[in-house]
Amino acid sequence: MLSTNAGHRVLVTCDAESDGLAFEELRRIGHVEFPGIWLDTGDAVQGSILLVRTELDFVRFSQKVTSFGSVFIRHLCPVDYEVELKGDESDLETILALGHDLAPRLDSERTFSVQSRVLGEGKLPYRKVVLNESMSLQLEGSSGARMDCRHPHHVVSIISTPARAYVGLSLAAENRSDWPGGRHRFKREEDQVSRAEFKLLEAMSVFGFTFPNRGLALDIGASPGGWSRVLAEQGLKVDAVDPGYLDPKLKSNRAINYFRRRIQEYSPGTKRFSAIVNDMKMDARDSIEIMLGFAERLTPDGVAVMTLKMPKAGPTAADSKRVLEMLHENLDRLAEGFSILGARQLYHNRSEVTVVMRRVS
């Protein structure tokens, strides 16, 4: 049976181990009926997905989440339609039938993409690639709009479980991420040093910044050198500081100057930095104090990026509140030396939060 979105329903995605923190943020944002329904992803890597009802339409709800400065809500999408599924081949036709309602809502002069997630354990009668391609072809033919997975203006979101499917249409800018469920994907490069490189690349995409293409960067806690490699590719010279060794692949990289020592033993002299980055496995409070010590050395057009290593929240609401308070205390301390552009738990983060900053003007 088909139902439209009475009362405005939204699917909220977060990291599977941070669902309590995202839930607490929703409480503080307000306008949501609790407790909502957690959908079974069947795979913790996909994260947790919460179906909530809100008094606000999707555009206003998305604006509320953004203005609140949510850290742990990774992705949003509206639920305009819900259909019951039978768990057989007819399910694909049932979902595709919604294309007749969706097509008139697309702007023929704009691009769109179909982003689907197939949830639940066991083999389902279709795969998401088939669902995406079939719906895209139907919408292109019916609306005249052009499908563009990389730069969509509109997004058709389809979340399918063995029992039912949830479908909605929104602007990509309203979903908090251009990627389905906020799951950024990057192609592994041949000379890649570490998985940590994806964290820095995702931060650039999510927060919409670029590093200056000239000048000097400081990589604090650089080993094995993944962030140094990314900075060098941006055109920067890099002071890479760490008592651990850099990957041998970087030995021939003339843009990277390696200092094998603790950051407390590094003397910058009169150097100023167009970028300061820090991905150290250190208590967040200690790491913040180190960053603040270099704040005045950031150039006016420079960018600072760091990850805050956070404790995992326990199972109770009180645990989540305590971790959130700790996070905001840390951000307040950082704001004493930097202008914070944003803080988010990214897809490639684990028990950490990425913070992007500029120099205080």
Side-chain angles (χ1 to χ4, degrees):
M1 179 179 293
L2 174 68
S3 63
T4 57
N5 132 16
H8 306 297
R9 292 182 299 166
V10 179
L11 286 163
V12 179
T13 303
C14 64
D15 180 80
E17 294 187 351
S18 301
D19 52 7
L21 296 166
F23 198 76
E24 178 60 27
E25 284 189 330
L26 285 171
R27 287 188 183 278
R28 298 184 183 193
I29 292 168
H31 308 283
V32 172
E33 295 180 14
F34 290 104
I37 301 172
W38 290 100
L39 304 186
D40 179 17
T41 66
D43 179 4
V45 175
Q46 295 197 51
S48 293
I49 305 176
L50 178 65
L51 175 64
V52 296
R53 191 179 298 275
T54 170
E55 65 194 47
L56 305 177
D57 62 46
F58 181 70
V59 175
R60 288 193 296 161
F61 182 74
S62 174
Q63 291 170 344
K64 283 285 184 182
V65 171
T66 299
S67 62
F68 175 80
S70 169
V71 173
F72 296 99
I73 296 174
R74 179 182 294 160
H75 185 266
L76 302 171
C77 65
V79 177
D80 297 326
Y81 310 98
E82 178 182 333
V83 290
E84 296 180 354
L85 303 178
K86 298 179 179 179
D88 57 31
E89 293 292 344
S90 67
D91 291 347
L92 186 59
E93 295 180 5
T94 299
I95 297 172
L96 292 178
L98 297 177
H100 299 297
D101 298 294
L102 293 166
R105 298 172 57 191
L106 292 175
D107 185 341
S108 61
E109 301 298 319
R110 300 282 191 170
T111 59
F112 76 93
S113 72
V114 178
Q115 299 181 352
S116 63
R117 284 173 282 171
V118 179
L119 310 180
E121 298 179 350
K123 186 177 181 180
L124 297 175
Y126 50 85
R127 296 176 299 133
K128 66 178 181 179
V129 63
V130 174
L131 189 53
N132 286 353
E133 291 178 355
S134 300
M135 181 65 84
S136 296
L137 287 172
Q138 179 172 332
L139 292 175
E140 277 191 320
S142 302
S143 69
R146 181 173 59 87
M147 190 273 290
D148 184 346
C149 292
R150 292 185 178 276
H151 305 289
H153 181 74
H154 285 104
V155 173
V156 174
S157 299
I158 305 173
I159 291 82
S160 175
T161 74
R164 59 192 63 238
Y166 306 91
V167 181
L169 175 65
S170 56
L171 297 178
E174 297 164 353
N175 291 9
R176 285 181 70 78
S177 173
D178 292 343
W179 293 72
R183 300 174 65 193
H184 277 66
R185 297 292 192 184
F186 296 97
K187 183 180 180 181
R188 186 175 181 86
E189 299 179 10
E190 185 177 345
D191 56 349
Q192 181 176 330
V193 170
S194 68
R195 173 190 172 277
E197 294 180 32
F198 293 152
K199 290 192 286 186
L200 191 54
L201 293 172
E202 184 182 359
M204 295 171 67
S205 173
V206 169
F207 294 105
F209 73 91
T210 57
F211 290 104
N213 59 7
R214 65 179 65 184
L216 179 65
L218 174 62
D219 187 355
I220 301 172
S223 178
W227 283 24
S228 291
R229 191 184 81 87
V230 172
L231 292 168
E233 287 197 337
Q234 301 297 307
L236 294 165
K237 301 289 186 180
V238 184
D239 277 7
V241 184
D242 198 296
Y245 289 100
L246 297 189
D247 190 285
K249 294 177 184 177
L250 300 178
K251 284 186 177 181
S252 61
N253 193 322
R254 296 183 179 181
I256 299 175
N257 192 14
Y258 169 44
F259 296 82
R260 186 170 178 260
R261 64 195 64 169
R262 298 169 64 243
I263 187 61
Q264 294 87 345
E265 301 165 344
Y266 166 75
S267 177
T270 60
K271 294 175 181 176
R272 291 167 62 80
F273 302 101
S274 298
I276 301 174
V277 300
N278 174 355
D279 190 32
M280 286 193 296
K281 294 180 175 63
M282 177 184 286
D283 181 278
R285 293 165 295 184
D286 295 332
S287 191
I288 286 169
E289 296 308 313
I290 289 172
M291 288 293 286
L292 289 173
F294 288 95
E296 292 186 356
R297 293 186 177 270
L298 189 65
T299 60
D301 64 338
V303 181
V305 181
M306 75 175 300
T307 54
L308 299 177
K309 312 305 180 186
M310 302 298 298
K312 292 183 179 180
T316 70
D319 294 327
S320 295
K321 290 178 182 178
R322 183 168 58 253
V323 173
L324 271 185
E325 293 302 327
M326 182 186 305
L327 172 62
H328 287 290
E329 288 173 4
N330 288 336
L331 293 176
D332 288 343
R333 176 64 178 137
L334 268 176
E336 294 179 23
F338 294 96
S339 175
I340 297 178
L341 300 183
R344 293 273 293 274
Q345 185 178 45
L346 305 177
Y347 174 67
H348 289 97
N349 286 144
R350 290 174 178 168
S351 295
E352 60 192 7
V353 169
T354 295
V355 188
V356 179
M357 302 163 286
R358 290 196 183 273
R359 180 174 174 173
V360 175
S361 56

